[in-house]
Amino acid sequence: MRKITEKQRQQLIKAANRVRANAYAPYSNYAVGAALLTSSGKIFRGANVENAAYPVTMCAERSAVFSAVAAGEQEFNAIAVATDNGGTPCGSCRQVLAEFGLDIKVLIVDGEEKIVRETTVEALLPGAFSGGDLPDS
Ligand code: THU
């Protein structure tokens, strides 16, 4: 599992909870915030953005990953995911995180900034499909 400092842990928890306020979730009313720590020490944030055409909705975690990649970052040490009730990342977000490292730390946080679970992408997505499974990789 990748290492993060106690200070970074606290920053991630706070950032994930704060960015929840920016979620656009008029259909589910389930606000999700994500804060992704890169190996360069930057934090990228994401919030869920829903759509009247429900499947078009984008999750907070993927939003954070895509934002980081667009900024030129591809090495991630940890992600904090905050919801009111400490919900865990969906399967699509687990798969997107797995692309960048099975050992990325995942902090699952509730609305009171309490860590409900501290785990890894590998533990959340055992047997992940990866680029290595493709014949010509
Ligand atoms: N959601 C996330 O943002 N991340 C997840 O990993 C699980 C689900 C969002 C999508 C939707 O806007 C709301 O939570 C309810 O599913």
Side-chain angles (χ1 to χ4, degrees):
M1 204 190 292
R2 300 193 190 192
K3 291 255 182 292
I4 61 170
T5 67
E6 191 48 39
K7 190 178 166 199
Q8 287 173 323
R9 181 189 308 268
Q10 294 311 321
Q11 284 174 336
L12 282 180
I13 295 168
K14 276 204 178 349
N17 242 306
R18 284 207 189 117
V19 75
R20 283 179 68 215
N22 299 335
Y24 176 74
Y27 304 106
S28 71
N29 283 315
Y30 191 69
V32 186
L36 179 70
L37 178 69
T38 69
S39 59
S40 69
K42 286 191 195 133
I43 294 177
F44 288 84
R45 292 158 177 77
N48 54 329
V49 179
E50 298 186 346
N51 191 280
Y54 294 172
V56 181
T57 292
M58 179 48 62
C59 290
E61 300 91 318
R62 276 178 287 158
S63 173
V65 170
F66 297 161
S67 164
V69 171
E73 304 267 355
Q74 295 185 3
E75 270 185 35
F76 310 131
N77 287 352
I79 186 167
V81 182
T83 58
D84 220 20
N85 62 354
T88 65
C90 79
S92 297
C93 291
R94 293 176 194 207
Q95 181 67 31
V96 165
L97 287 165
E99 182 71 23
F100 295 98
L102 293 171
D103 58 344
I104 296 170
K105 191 189 279 287
V106 181
L107 308 173
I108 296 166
V109 178
D110 70 14
E112 261 136 40
E113 301 190 352
K114 195 180 120 219
I115 296 181
V116 175
R117 188 170 164 198
E118 185 163 334
T119 183
T120 61
V121 172
E122 186 163 31
L124 290 174
L125 191 64
F129 180 82
S130 74
D133 292 312
L134 296 170
D136 294 325
S137 63

